[in-house]
Amino acid sequence: MQNSSFEVINLSFESATAESYDNHAIAKVNDHEVRISTMTEAYHWHCHPDSDESFLALEGGLFIDFDDRTVELLPGHMITVNRGVRHRTRPIGQRSVNLTFERAGARSERLTSPRE
């Protein structure tokens, strides 16, 4: 991620990966980061104890699992997960691309499945 004023960010380029999971910062807005996540498999259960996290689905869609339900996020849909809430993300279909917005330097704590 570069910090240049008026930099145009190419989301297609940023999401081009052969990795099963890639998540990296693409921009800063005040004390927050915009991150792009590309996934072909589920991410582990986790929470962010010190930051809310907003998701904006771009491609393929995203399932967000919570302890008591699953939310389906289709392209163009957005949701905010409050700080401290246990969740995991999974792609809808073979590949998912989404943007996340969270406080820069937010901690991520790996958790066990709610059924374990």
PDB file of all heavy atoms in Angstrom, residues 80-105:
ATOM      1  N   THR A  80     -21.838  -4.188   9.056  1.00  0.00           N
ATOM      2  CA  THR A  80     -20.829  -3.884  10.075  1.00  0.00           C
ATOM      3  C   THR A  80     -20.935  -4.894  11.204  1.00  0.00           C
ATOM      4  O   THR A  80     -22.033  -5.151  11.716  1.00  0.00           O
ATOM      5  CB  THR A  80     -20.998  -2.459  10.623  1.00  0.00           C
ATOM      6  OG1 THR A  80     -20.776  -1.527   9.556  1.00  0.00           O
ATOM      7  CG2 THR A  80     -19.996  -2.168  11.745  1.00  0.00           C
ATOM      8  N   VAL A  81     -19.801  -5.477  11.579  1.00  0.00           N
ATOM      9  CA  VAL A  81     -19.702  -6.389  12.711  1.00  0.00           C
ATOM     10  C   VAL A  81     -19.102  -5.582  13.856  1.00  0.00           C
ATOM     11  O   VAL A  81     -18.011  -5.020  13.722  1.00  0.00           O
ATOM     12  CB  VAL A  81     -18.810  -7.609  12.375  1.00  0.00           C
ATOM     13  CG1 VAL A  81     -18.652  -8.506  13.585  1.00  0.00           C
ATOM     14  CG2 VAL A  81     -19.378  -8.372  11.179  1.00  0.00           C
ATOM     15  N   ASN A  82     -19.823  -5.511  14.964  1.00  0.00           N
ATOM     16  CA  ASN A  82     -19.360  -4.723  16.106  1.00  0.00           C
ATOM     17  C   ASN A  82     -18.133  -5.350  16.756  1.00  0.00           C
ATOM     18  O   ASN A  82     -17.946  -6.578  16.716  1.00  0.00           O
ATOM     19  CB  ASN A  82     -20.466  -4.587  17.148  1.00  0.00           C
ATOM     20  CG  ASN A  82     -21.612  -3.744  16.649  1.00  0.00           C
ATOM     21  OD1 ASN A  82     -21.432  -2.853  15.820  1.00  0.00           O
ATOM     22  ND2 ASN A  82     -22.808  -4.020  17.135  1.00  0.00           N
ATOM     23  N   ARG A  83     -17.317  -4.504  17.349  1.00  0.00           N
ATOM     24  CA  ARG A  83     -16.112  -4.985  18.028  1.00  0.00           C
ATOM     25  C   ARG A  83     -16.460  -6.086  19.025  1.00  0.00           C
ATOM     26  O   ARG A  83     -17.511  -6.057  19.655  1.00  0.00           O
ATOM     27  CB  ARG A  83     -15.388  -3.836  18.721  1.00  0.00           C
ATOM     28  CG  ARG A  83     -16.080  -3.321  19.950  1.00  0.00           C
ATOM     29  CD  ARG A  83     -15.416  -2.098  20.548  1.00  0.00           C
ATOM     30  NE  ARG A  83     -15.573  -1.007  19.594  1.00  0.00           N
ATOM     31  CZ  ARG A  83     -14.729  -0.002  19.458  1.00  0.00           C
ATOM     32  NH1 ARG A  83     -13.683   0.086  20.223  1.00  0.00           N
ATOM     33  NH2 ARG A  83     -14.942   0.937  18.581  1.00  0.00           N
ATOM     34  N   GLY A  84     -15.577  -7.069  19.094  1.00  0.00           N
ATOM     35  CA  GLY A  84     -15.741  -8.150  20.056  1.00  0.00           C
ATOM     36  C   GLY A  84     -16.672  -9.269  19.639  1.00  0.00           C
ATOM     37  O   GLY A  84     -16.771 -10.273  20.335  1.00  0.00           O
ATOM     38  N   VAL A  85     -17.368  -9.156  18.507  1.00  0.00           N
ATOM     39  CA  VAL A  85     -18.315 -10.184  18.075  1.00  0.00           C
ATOM     40  C   VAL A  85     -17.571 -11.283  17.314  1.00  0.00           C
ATOM     41  O   VAL A  85     -16.867 -11.018  16.343  1.00  0.00           O
ATOM     42  CB  VAL A  85     -19.434  -9.587  17.193  1.00  0.00           C
ATOM     43  CG1 VAL A  85     -20.317 -10.687  16.613  1.00  0.00           C
ATOM     44  CG2 VAL A  85     -20.264  -8.594  17.980  1.00  0.00           C
ATOM     45  N   ARG A  86     -17.746 -12.518  17.762  1.00  0.00           N
ATOM     46  CA  ARG A  86     -17.124 -13.681  17.134  1.00  0.00           C
ATOM     47  C   ARG A  86     -17.744 -13.902  15.758  1.00  0.00           C
ATOM     48  O   ARG A  86     -18.967 -13.905  15.610  1.00  0.00           O
ATOM     49  CB  ARG A  86     -17.368 -14.911  18.002  1.00  0.00           C
ATOM     50  CG  ARG A  86     -16.863 -16.207  17.412  1.00  0.00           C
ATOM     51  CD  ARG A  86     -17.501 -17.415  18.072  1.00  0.00           C
ATOM     52  NE  ARG A  86     -17.409 -17.406  19.506  1.00  0.00           N
ATOM     53  CZ  ARG A  86     -16.513 -18.122  20.185  1.00  0.00           C
ATOM     54  NH1 ARG A  86     -15.650 -18.873  19.557  1.00  0.00           N
ATOM     55  NH2 ARG A  86     -16.499 -18.080  21.501  1.00  0.00           N
ATOM     56  N   HIS A  87     -16.893 -14.108  14.745  1.00  0.00           N
ATOM     57  CA  HIS A  87     -17.387 -14.345  13.394  1.00  0.00           C
ATOM     58  C   HIS A  87     -16.317 -15.033  12.543  1.00  0.00           C
ATOM     59  O   HIS A  87     -15.161 -15.100  12.932  1.00  0.00           O
ATOM     60  CB  HIS A  87     -17.823 -13.034  12.718  1.00  0.00           C
ATOM     61  CG  HIS A  87     -16.719 -12.049  12.514  1.00  0.00           C
ATOM     62  ND1 HIS A  87     -16.186 -11.297  13.540  1.00  0.00           N
ATOM     63  CD2 HIS A  87     -16.041 -11.679  11.403  1.00  0.00           C
ATOM     64  CE1 HIS A  87     -15.234 -10.502  13.069  1.00  0.00           C
ATOM     65  NE2 HIS A  87     -15.117 -10.727  11.766  1.00  0.00           N
ATOM     66  N   ARG A  88     -16.756 -15.537  11.412  1.00  0.00           N
ATOM     67  CA  ARG A  88     -15.839 -16.037  10.393  1.00  0.00           C
ATOM     68  C   ARG A  88     -16.476 -15.753   9.041  1.00  0.00           C
ATOM     69  O   ARG A  88     -17.689 -15.600   8.925  1.00  0.00           O
ATOM     70  CB  ARG A  88     -15.511 -17.511  10.547  1.00  0.00           C
ATOM     71  CG  ARG A  88     -16.601 -18.425  10.059  1.00  0.00           C
ATOM     72  CD  ARG A  88     -16.132 -19.852   9.961  1.00  0.00           C
ATOM     73  NE  ARG A  88     -17.253 -20.672   9.530  1.00  0.00           N
ATOM     74  CZ  ARG A  88     -17.158 -21.941   9.240  1.00  0.00           C
ATOM     75  NH1 ARG A  88     -15.995 -22.555   9.353  1.00  0.00           N
ATOM     76  NH2 ARG A  88     -18.217 -22.623   8.854  1.00  0.00           N
ATOM     77  N   THR A  89     -15.645 -15.687   8.018  1.00  0.00           N
ATOM     78  CA  THR A  89     -16.128 -15.418   6.667  1.00  0.00           C
ATOM     79  C   THR A  89     -15.830 -16.611   5.772  1.00  0.00           C
ATOM     80  O   THR A  89     -14.824 -17.309   5.952  1.00  0.00           O
ATOM     81  CB  THR A  89     -15.472 -14.147   6.093  1.00  0.00           C
ATOM     82  OG1 THR A  89     -14.043 -14.260   6.211  1.00  0.00           O
ATOM     83  CG2 THR A  89     -15.928 -12.910   6.838  1.00  0.00           C
ATOM     84  N   ARG A  90     -16.744 -16.822   4.801  1.00  0.00           N
ATOM     85  CA  ARG A  90     -16.603 -17.896   3.820  1.00  0.00           C
ATOM     86  C   ARG A  90     -17.054 -17.354   2.469  1.00  0.00           C
ATOM     87  O   ARG A  90     -18.003 -16.578   2.404  1.00  0.00           O
ATOM     88  CB  ARG A  90     -17.488 -19.097   4.162  1.00  0.00           C
ATOM     89  CG  ARG A  90     -17.203 -19.747   5.478  1.00  0.00           C
ATOM     90  CD  ARG A  90     -18.133 -20.943   5.738  1.00  0.00           C
ATOM     91  NE  ARG A  90     -19.482 -20.505   6.095  1.00  0.00           N
ATOM     92  CZ  ARG A  90     -20.597 -20.930   5.519  1.00  0.00           C
ATOM     93  NH1 ARG A  90     -20.559 -21.788   4.510  1.00  0.00           N
ATOM     94  NH2 ARG A  90     -21.783 -20.508   5.930  1.00  0.00           N
ATOM     95  N   PRO A  91     -16.414 -17.777   1.395  1.00  0.00           N
ATOM     96  CA  PRO A  91     -16.865 -17.310   0.083  1.00  0.00           C
ATOM     97  C   PRO A  91     -18.185 -17.966  -0.316  1.00  0.00           C
ATOM     98  O   PRO A  91     -18.455 -19.098   0.053  1.00  0.00           O
ATOM     99  CB  PRO A  91     -15.739 -17.744  -0.858  1.00  0.00           C
ATOM    100  CG  PRO A  91     -15.123 -18.924  -0.180  1.00  0.00           C
ATOM    101  CD  PRO A  91     -15.254 -18.669   1.298  1.00  0.00           C
ATOM    102  N   ILE A  92     -18.993 -17.217  -1.034  1.00  0.00           N
ATOM    103  CA  ILE A  92     -20.149 -17.805  -1.704  1.00  0.00           C
ATOM    104  C   ILE A  92     -19.637 -18.221  -3.084  1.00  0.00           C
ATOM    105  O   ILE A  92     -19.135 -17.396  -3.834  1.00  0.00           O
ATOM    106  CB  ILE A  92     -21.305 -16.800  -1.835  1.00  0.00           C
ATOM    107  CG1 ILE A  92     -21.838 -16.430  -0.441  1.00  0.00           C
ATOM    108  CG2 ILE A  92     -22.416 -17.370  -2.714  1.00  0.00           C
ATOM    109  CD1 ILE A  92     -22.917 -15.361  -0.461  1.00  0.00           C
ATOM    110  N   GLY A  93     -19.734 -19.477  -3.386  1.00  0.00           N
ATOM    111  CA  GLY A  93     -19.196 -19.973  -4.646  1.00  0.00           C
ATOM    112  C   GLY A  93     -17.696 -20.213  -4.527  1.00  0.00           C
ATOM    113  O   GLY A  93     -17.161 -20.406  -3.444  1.00  0.00           O
ATOM    114  N   GLN A  94     -17.025 -20.159  -5.661  1.00  0.00           N
ATOM    115  CA  GLN A  94     -15.605 -20.515  -5.696  1.00  0.00           C
ATOM    116  C   GLN A  94     -14.679 -19.400  -5.232  1.00  0.00           C
ATOM    117  O   GLN A  94     -13.566 -19.673  -4.779  1.00  0.00           O
ATOM    118  CB  GLN A  94     -15.214 -20.942  -7.106  1.00  0.00           C
ATOM    119  CG  GLN A  94     -15.872 -22.224  -7.538  1.00  0.00           C
ATOM    120  CD  GLN A  94     -15.398 -22.678  -8.900  1.00  0.00           C
ATOM    121  OE1 GLN A  94     -15.061 -21.874  -9.768  1.00  0.00           O
ATOM    122  NE2 GLN A  94     -15.366 -23.991  -9.104  1.00  0.00           N
ATOM    123  N   ARG A  95     -15.120 -18.131  -5.338  1.00  0.00           N
ATOM    124  CA  ARG A  95     -14.202 -17.025  -5.030  1.00  0.00           C
ATOM    125  C   ARG A  95     -15.004 -15.825  -4.548  1.00  0.00           C
ATOM    126  O   ARG A  95     -16.066 -15.524  -5.065  1.00  0.00           O
ATOM    127  CB  ARG A  95     -13.427 -16.640  -6.290  1.00  0.00           C
ATOM    128  CG  ARG A  95     -12.413 -15.537  -6.107  1.00  0.00           C
ATOM    129  CD  ARG A  95     -11.628 -15.369  -7.420  1.00  0.00           C
ATOM    130  NE  ARG A  95     -10.506 -14.486  -7.262  1.00  0.00           N
ATOM    131  CZ  ARG A  95     -10.502 -13.205  -7.611  1.00  0.00           C
ATOM    132  NH1 ARG A  95     -11.582 -12.653  -8.141  1.00  0.00           N
ATOM    133  NH2 ARG A  95      -9.425 -12.470  -7.453  1.00  0.00           N
ATOM    134  N   SER A  96     -14.458 -15.161  -3.554  1.00  0.00           N
ATOM    135  CA  SER A  96     -15.082 -13.966  -3.008  1.00  0.00           C
ATOM    136  C   SER A  96     -14.058 -12.851  -2.939  1.00  0.00           C
ATOM    137  O   SER A  96     -12.904 -13.079  -2.579  1.00  0.00           O
ATOM    138  CB  SER A  96     -15.620 -14.254  -1.604  1.00  0.00           C
ATOM    139  OG  SER A  96     -16.078 -13.072  -0.994  1.00  0.00           O
ATOM    140  N   VAL A  97     -14.498 -11.648  -3.289  1.00  0.00           N
ATOM    141  CA  VAL A  97     -13.669 -10.454  -3.120  1.00  0.00           C
ATOM    142  C   VAL A  97     -14.504  -9.445  -2.350  1.00  0.00           C
ATOM    143  O   VAL A  97     -15.657  -9.192  -2.709  1.00  0.00           O
ATOM    144  CB  VAL A  97     -13.226  -9.858  -4.476  1.00  0.00           C
ATOM    145  CG1 VAL A  97     -12.409  -8.591  -4.257  1.00  0.00           C
ATOM    146  CG2 VAL A  97     -12.438 -10.875  -5.287  1.00  0.00           C
ATOM    147  N   ASN A  98     -13.942  -8.910  -1.272  1.00  0.00           N
ATOM    148  CA  ASN A  98     -14.651  -7.914  -0.490  1.00  0.00           C
ATOM    149  C   ASN A  98     -13.693  -6.877   0.065  1.00  0.00           C
ATOM    150  O   ASN A  98     -12.493  -7.121   0.169  1.00  0.00           O
ATOM    151  CB  ASN A  98     -15.468  -8.570   0.628  1.00  0.00           C
ATOM    152  CG  ASN A  98     -14.598  -9.207   1.689  1.00  0.00           C
ATOM    153  OD1 ASN A  98     -14.184  -8.561   2.628  1.00  0.00           O
ATOM    154  ND2 ASN A  98     -14.297 -10.495   1.535  1.00  0.00           N
ATOM    155  N   LEU A  99     -14.250  -5.726   0.387  1.00  0.00           N
ATOM    156  CA  LEU A  99     -13.495  -4.689   1.080  1.00  0.00           C
ATOM    157  C   LEU A  99     -13.884  -4.723   2.544  1.00  0.00           C
ATOM    158  O   LEU A  99     -15.044  -4.981   2.881  1.00  0.00           O
ATOM    159  CB  LEU A  99     -13.823  -3.302   0.510  1.00  0.00           C
ATOM    160  CG  LEU A  99     -13.437  -3.032  -0.928  1.00  0.00           C
ATOM    161  CD1 LEU A  99     -13.846  -1.606  -1.312  1.00  0.00           C
ATOM    162  CD2 LEU A  99     -11.952  -3.236  -1.161  1.00  0.00           C
ATOM    163  N   THR A 100     -12.898  -4.481   3.413  1.00  0.00           N
ATOM    164  CA  THR A 100     -13.188  -4.315   4.830  1.00  0.00           C
ATOM    165  C   THR A 100     -12.648  -2.963   5.273  1.00  0.00           C
ATOM    166  O   THR A 100     -11.658  -2.459   4.740  1.00  0.00           O
ATOM    167  CB  THR A 100     -12.560  -5.431   5.699  1.00  0.00           C
ATOM    168  OG1 THR A 100     -11.145  -5.443   5.508  1.00  0.00           O
ATOM    169  CG2 THR A 100     -13.139  -6.781   5.359  1.00  0.00           C
ATOM    170  N   PHE A 101     -13.339  -2.411   6.240  1.00  0.00           N
ATOM    171  CA  PHE A 101     -12.992  -1.099   6.794  1.00  0.00           C
ATOM    172  C   PHE A 101     -12.880  -1.276   8.299  1.00  0.00           C
ATOM    173  O   PHE A 101     -13.839  -1.694   8.953  1.00  0.00           O
ATOM    174  CB  PHE A 101     -14.093  -0.071   6.474  1.00  0.00           C
ATOM    175  CG  PHE A 101     -14.462  -0.021   5.014  1.00  0.00           C
ATOM    176  CD1 PHE A 101     -15.385  -0.908   4.481  1.00  0.00           C
ATOM    177  CD2 PHE A 101     -13.873   0.915   4.184  1.00  0.00           C
ATOM    178  CE1 PHE A 101     -15.727  -0.858   3.131  1.00  0.00           C
ATOM    179  CE2 PHE A 101     -14.212   0.980   2.832  1.00  0.00           C
ATOM    180  CZ  PHE A 101     -15.137   0.084   2.312  1.00  0.00           C
ATOM    181  N   GLU A 102     -11.697  -0.988   8.839  1.00  0.00           N
ATOM    182  CA  GLU A 102     -11.477  -1.127  10.281  1.00  0.00           C
ATOM    183  C   GLU A 102     -10.391  -0.170  10.724  1.00  0.00           C
ATOM    184  O   GLU A 102      -9.638   0.355   9.901  1.00  0.00           O
ATOM    185  CB  GLU A 102     -11.109  -2.564  10.646  1.00  0.00           C
ATOM    186  CG  GLU A 102      -9.808  -3.051  10.024  1.00  0.00           C
ATOM    187  CD  GLU A 102      -9.571  -4.540  10.225  1.00  0.00           C
ATOM    188  OE1 GLU A 102     -10.503  -5.275  10.571  1.00  0.00           O
ATOM    189  OE2 GLU A 102      -8.440  -4.958  10.021  1.00  0.00           O
ATOM    190  N   ARG A 103     -10.323   0.035  12.020  1.00  0.00           N
ATOM    191  CA  ARG A 103      -9.303   0.922  12.559  1.00  0.00           C
ATOM    192  C   ARG A 103      -7.917   0.367  12.244  1.00  0.00           C
ATOM    193  O   ARG A 103      -7.684  -0.835  12.355  1.00  0.00           O
ATOM    194  CB  ARG A 103      -9.482   1.063  14.070  1.00  0.00           C
ATOM    195  CG  ARG A 103      -8.902   2.370  14.606  1.00  0.00           C
ATOM    196  CD  ARG A 103      -8.985   2.411  16.058  1.00  0.00           C
ATOM    197  NE  ARG A 103      -8.136   1.272  16.348  1.00  0.00           N
ATOM    198  CZ  ARG A 103      -7.856   0.733  17.492  1.00  0.00           C
ATOM    199  NH1 ARG A 103      -8.324   1.144  18.513  1.00  0.00           N
ATOM    200  NH2 ARG A 103      -7.088  -0.278  17.660  1.00  0.00           N
ATOM    201  N   ALA A 104      -7.010   1.214  11.812  1.00  0.00           N
ATOM    202  CA  ALA A 104      -5.637   0.786  11.508  1.00  0.00           C
ATOM    203  C   ALA A 104      -5.015   0.164  12.750  1.00  0.00           C
ATOM    204  O   ALA A 104      -5.164   0.682  13.856  1.00  0.00           O
ATOM    205  CB  ALA A 104      -4.810   1.970  11.023  1.00  0.00           C
ATOM    206  N   GLY A 105      -4.363  -0.961  12.581  1.00  0.00           N
ATOM    207  CA  GLY A 105      -3.719  -1.642  13.693  1.00  0.00           C
ATOM    208  C   GLY A 105      -4.672  -2.435  14.568  1.00  0.00           C
ATOM    209  O   GLY A 105      -4.284  -2.890  15.642  1.00  0.00           O
TER     210      GLY A 105
END
